[in-house]
Amino acid sequence: MATAEASVVKTKPSKRVKVKRTRGVGKHKYTQFVPHSKGKPLEDGEKRIILNIVSKLEEERPHELQKEIYKIASKYTGVSLSTVQNIKKEDKHKRMQINRAVYMG
């Protein structure tokens, strides 16, 4: 009777790349998610991205409460809930001004 020997190949364990932690990242050591810095203003493009996320969530979840949609958008974008609400309010105000200008002029 012949016995077969199993060959053992030793390999180096894979290394995880450690991402530099920034203040406010939380408990995750290895993450690419970095929340928005507090006190730093958002640029117009960043605001547009947040508005697009909110509008997409409103389309996908029509029966969800508005506050819940803002919470989810806040979680996805890394900005606070109040920032999402303020951006939405600012956009609504801009749209009202545009509509007034169209009716007046």
Side-chain angles (χ1 to χ4, degrees):
M1 226 157 121
T3 60
E5 291 184 29
S7 62
V8 177
V9 178
K10 290 189 176 182
T11 59
K12 291 183 180 180
S14 63
K15 292 183 179 180
R16 292 181 90 182
V17 178
K18 194 170 188 178
V19 176
K20 184 180 176 185
R21 291 187 75 174
T22 58
R23 196 172 126 245
V25 170
K27 62 183 176 182
H28 305 289
K29 289 182 183 177
Y30 306 98
T31 182
Q32 296 295 328
F33 179 80
V34 179
H36 188 74
S37 300
K38 190 172 184 177
K40 183 180 173 189
L42 291 168
E43 295 178 6
D44 288 339
E46 295 169 328
K47 290 179 182 180
R48 181 57 45 201
I49 290 169
I50 292 170
L51 288 169
N52 289 342
I53 290 172
V54 169
S55 66
K56 190 68 170 176
L57 287 170
E58 288 172 345
E59 287 176 16
E60 292 175 354
R61 305 168 187 222
H63 302 294
E64 193 86 35
L65 294 175
Q66 195 71 32
K67 188 159 186 157
E68 293 299 317
I69 289 175
Y70 291 164
K71 282 182 184 177
I72 295 167
S74 170
K75 179 181 164 186
Y76 287 167
T77 57
V79 297
S80 68
L81 174 65
S82 61
T83 302
V84 174
Q85 291 171 334
N86 289 338
I87 290 170
K88 186 72 173 172
K89 189 188 309 181
E90 181 182 315
D91 183 61
K92 182 178 178 183
H93 183 69
K94 281 183 182 177
R95 288 174 190 256
M96 287 176 27
Q97 285 182 336
I98 291 170
N99 287 340
R100 283 187 201 145
V102 169
Y103 290 126
M104 294 290 206

